[in-house]
Amino acid sequence: MNWINNVIRPKIRSFLEKREVPENLWIKCPETGEMVFHLDLEANQWVVPNSNFHMRISSKKRFEYLFDAGEYTSIETPEVSSDPLKFRDQRKYVDRLKEAKAKTEMNDSVIVGSGKVNGYEMTAAVQDFAFMAGSLGMAAGEAIIRGMEHALENKTPFIMFAASGGARMQEGIFSLMQMPRTTATVQMLREAGLPYIVVMTNPTYGGVTASYAMLGDVHLAEPNALIGFAGQRVIEQTIREKLPEGFQRSEYLYDHGMIDMVVHRHDLKDTISNLCNLLMKREAQLPVLKKEPEEEASTEVVATS
C-alpha cells in the first residue's frame, strides 16, 4: 500500500499538474503586440527586431553596451539625507525609497561610471527610470555633479543618459535646487573645453528636460522616445488645441531642431565615440586587424621578389 502512495500517486499527479512556464520567457512588443523570445531580445540590445521598438533597459545594461567589453569603474557618490522633509502621502517616503532600492538594487536613480569607449577614457551617468520613475532628487543631483567633477579632474568627456518623469516631489524645494546646481556644473565642463553629450531616452520629462538634459554640446535621442517638459494631455488642456501627431517624439523634435540626431541603440557607442573624438580634436582609434598566416606569407614573397 505504501508504494502506491509513495510512487504511483506522485507520478500521476506529475502528469496531471500544469507545468509552470517562466513569466519572462516571451516578451510582448508594446507597439505591435508581437511576442519576442527574451534571449533574442537581449541579444539585440532589447530592441524588438521587426518593429524596431526600443525597450527600456537598466542602467547597468547601458554601461555594458557603452564601455569596451562592458568593463567600467563605478564612481562613489556623496550620501545625502534620505528624507529631508519627513514627507508622507499615502505612504512614508522612506518606505518608497526602501522598496525602490530593493527592487532595482540601486541607491538612487542615477549611477556614474568611467571606462574606455573605443579606446578612449570617458565618464558617464545613467538615469534609471525603474527607480521611482528616474525622478531627480538630492541623491541624483549629487551623483550627476560628482560625475561631472570626475570628468573635470580626469579631463574626459561626460556622457549623460537621461530618463525621467521630472523632479521628485517628495523632496520639494531640495529637488528643484538640483536644476541650477547641475546647470552650473555643466558650465564648468564647457569652460574646461570638455565635451558634454546628452542621450535622451524614453521618457525624458519635467525638470530634467528644463536643466541638464537640454544643455549638452550635442543632443542625441533614441528612436520614438518621448521628450518634453509637460505631458501632451496637459498642454492640450492648457492651449485648448489638438497637438500634431507624433508631438514630443524624438523624430518630431529632430525635424523641428530641438535635438541633433536620432540614433539607433546599436549605433550609440560609435556615434558618441566619433563625436567626442571630433570635439576633442583627436583621431579615432581604429582596431588593429590580425593578419592571417597566408596573407603574411604572401607579403613576404612580394617583399623578397
Side-chain angles (χ1 to χ4, degrees):
M1 193 68 180
N2 289 335
W3 69 274
I4 294 177
N5 293 330
N6 297 334
V7 179
I8 302 299
R9 286 183 178 176
K11 285 188 176 182
I12 294 173
R13 287 196 191 99
S14 65
F15 283 116
L16 295 177
E17 286 178 356
K18 185 178 179 181
R19 293 183 180 179
E20 294 184 2
V21 179
E23 293 181 1
N24 61 346
L25 194 60
W26 294 87
I27 298 174
K28 186 177 181 180
C29 172
E31 194 170 74
T32 63
E34 175 190 7
M35 301 299 290
V36 186
F37 189 49
H38 79 286
L39 290 179
D40 295 336
L41 195 58
E42 188 171 5
N44 202 41
Q45 295 189 12
W46 294 93
V47 178
V48 180
N50 294 329
S51 67
N52 203 36
F53 183 86
H54 285 52
M55 304 193 77
R56 290 177 191 152
I57 57 176
S58 67
S59 50
K60 292 181 180 179
K61 283 290 181 185
R62 286 279 177 201
F63 279 167
E64 182 182 323
Y65 299 148
L66 176 67
F67 293 115
D68 295 346
E71 296 178 356
Y72 62 94
T73 302
S74 296
I75 298 172
E76 291 187 9
T77 57
E79 293 186 4
V80 299
S81 174
S82 59
D83 188 8
L85 300 179
K86 308 299 179 187
F87 189 90
R88 176 169 186 163
D89 45 21
Q90 294 177 346
R91 295 170 58 197
K92 289 182 180 179
Y93 176 43
V94 289
D95 293 338
R96 292 186 186 276
L97 282 175
K98 287 178 182 178
E99 183 181 346
K101 289 178 180 180
K103 179 182 175 183
T104 61
E105 298 181 351
M106 296 172 60
N107 291 326
D108 209 87
S109 60
V110 175
I111 65 169
V112 187
S114 65
K116 290 188 176 182
V117 179
N118 287 342
Y120 285 107
E121 284 290 334
M122 294 192 192
T123 307
V126 180
Q127 212 161 2
D128 199 321
F129 195 81
F131 193 103
M132 296 189 71
S135 51
L136 175 62
M138 293 171 61
E142 289 289 351
I144 294 167
I145 292 168
R146 179 67 195 103
M148 292 180 181
E149 288 174 345
H150 182 275
L152 287 164
E153 292 164 4
N154 295 273
K155 293 180 170 47
T156 68
F158 185 74
I159 317 301
M160 182 72 223
F161 289 88
S164 178
R168 190 171 297 174
M169 68 171 194
Q170 291 90 344
E171 295 185 15
I173 190 65
F174 294 102
S175 172
L176 298 177
M177 285 171 60
Q178 308 313 309
M179 297 168 62
R181 292 183 73 238
T182 52
T183 300
T185 319
V186 169
Q187 184 59 31
M188 292 170 65
L189 285 173
R190 187 160 291 124
E191 291 172 358
L194 297 173
Y196 172 45
I197 310 295
V198 179
V199 182
M200 285 171 273
T201 65
N202 185 40
T204 303
Y205 270 100
V208 170
T209 310
S211 55
Y212 56 85
M214 281 296 166
L215 295 175
D217 297 310
V218 182
H219 297 117
L220 310 180
E222 288 191 334
N224 209 37
L226 277 167
I227 304 164
F229 180 69
Q232 182 170 340
R233 186 173 59 182
V234 174
I235 298 172
E236 287 180 338
Q237 290 174 351
T238 303
I239 66 175
R240 299 181 181 179
E241 290 183 16
K242 185 70 177 175
L243 294 171
E245 186 177 351
F247 181 77
Q248 291 187 334
R249 293 288 178 181
S250 51
E251 290 78 6
Y252 182 92
L253 300 182
Y254 170 73
D255 291 338
H256 291 77
M258 193 170 176
I259 60 175
D260 300 301
M261 297 174 68
V262 178
V263 185
H264 194 284
R265 187 173 292 164
H266 294 171
D267 303 323
L268 267 176
K269 178 178 179 177
D270 290 338
T271 302
I272 291 169
S273 174
N274 292 336
L275 285 169
C276 289
N277 290 333
L278 181 65
L279 294 171
M280 296 284 282
K281 297 180 181 180
R282 62 193 182 193
E283 294 182 1
Q285 186 169 337
L286 300 176
V288 178
L289 300 177
K290 292 182 179 180
K291 292 184 178 180
E292 297 293 331
E294 295 179 0
E295 292 180 5
E296 292 179 355
S298 62
T299 305
E300 290 176 3
V301 171
V302 173
T304 52
S305 62

